[in-house]
């Protein structure tokens, strides 16, 4: 005998699964990026130390530290870029008056050129 579940059960399951997914992603992000700024600071200090106490064979380590620092800085930049997109999606557009005005102006220009084309075709 088949027992049919109500749509409410499916929605509750979906909400529960989304909540679990959210928690897992939060933990993953925290673990992945929590030491990023500390690692950047450590590499900057190491690079500064290498430049002050420069020895002949330190140029290899200097290159290695600089490459790692650039990678981490790029990673941090991507993190903040994605974070700003998330904020924008969550909070929405706060400049609605500005964007409404821009859209209205664009519509008026389009309408004007549409009339000009019709008048040009009628002549």
């Amino acid at each position: 005998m088949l027992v049919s579940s109500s749509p409410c059960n499916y929605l509750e399951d979906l909400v529960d699964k989304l909540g679990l997914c959210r928690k897992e992603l939060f933990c993953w992000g925290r673990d992945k990026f929590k030491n990023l700024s500390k690692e950047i600071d450590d590499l900057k200090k190491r690079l500064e130390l290498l430049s002050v106490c420069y020895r002949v064979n330190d140029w290899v380590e200097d290159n290695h530290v600089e490459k790692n620092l650039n990678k981490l800085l790029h990673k941090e930049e991507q993190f903040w870029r994605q974070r700003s997109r998330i904020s924008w999606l969550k909070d929405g557009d706060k400049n609605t008056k500005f964007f409404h005005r821009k859209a209205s102006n664009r519509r008026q220009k389009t309408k004007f050129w549409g009339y000009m084309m019709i008048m040009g075709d009628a002549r």
Side-chain angles (χ1 to χ4, degrees):
M1 179 175 162
L2 293 173
V3 179
S4 65
S5 298
S6 68
C8 291
N9 289 342
Y10 290 128
L11 288 176
E12 289 172 6
D13 288 344
L14 179 63
V15 168
D16 291 341
K17 288 178 183 178
L18 286 174
L20 182 63
C21 182
R22 181 178 182 264
K23 287 178 188 175
E24 292 290 324
L25 285 172
F26 178 78
C27 292
W28 172 82
R30 185 186 62 219
D31 293 342
K32 187 85 170 162
F33 295 105
K34 72 179 175 182
N35 294 327
L36 191 61
S37 60
K38 184 183 180 324
E39 289 178 43
I40 289 172
D41 290 340
D42 291 346
L43 285 176
K44 283 181 179 179
K45 288 176 187 173
R46 181 70 184 146
L47 195 60
E48 185 178 327
L49 182 66
L50 285 172
S51 67
V52 171
C53 305
Y54 195 77
R55 292 181 297 220
V56 175
N57 295 329
D58 282 347
W59 66 272
V60 174
E61 186 179 355
D62 187 50
N63 252 352
H64 180 69
V65 170
E66 198 168 328
K67 275 185 185 178
N68 286 340
L69 180 61
N70 286 335
K71 284 180 187 177
L72 288 177
L73 289 171
H74 181 69
K75 194 175 191 180
E76 184 182 44
E77 183 183 342
Q78 286 178 324
F79 171 78
W80 286 111
R81 186 177 296 136
Q82 289 173 354
R83 185 80 176 205
S84 69
R85 288 182 190 147
I86 291 169
S87 298
W88 185 85
L89 289 173
K90 187 176 91 177
D91 297 336
D93 179 20
K94 302 293 183 194
N95 298 321
T96 54
K97 187 175 183 179
F98 171 78
F99 287 105
H100 178 72
R101 192 174 330 131
K102 284 288 197 185
S104 296
N105 287 342
R106 191 178 317 118
R107 186 175 46 234
Q108 286 176 351
K109 284 180 185 177
T110 304
K111 199 184 274 188
F112 172 76
W113 288 111
Y115 288 142
M116 292 299 290
M117 289 179 67
I118 292 171
M119 295 303 285
D121 289 343
R123 290 182 189 179

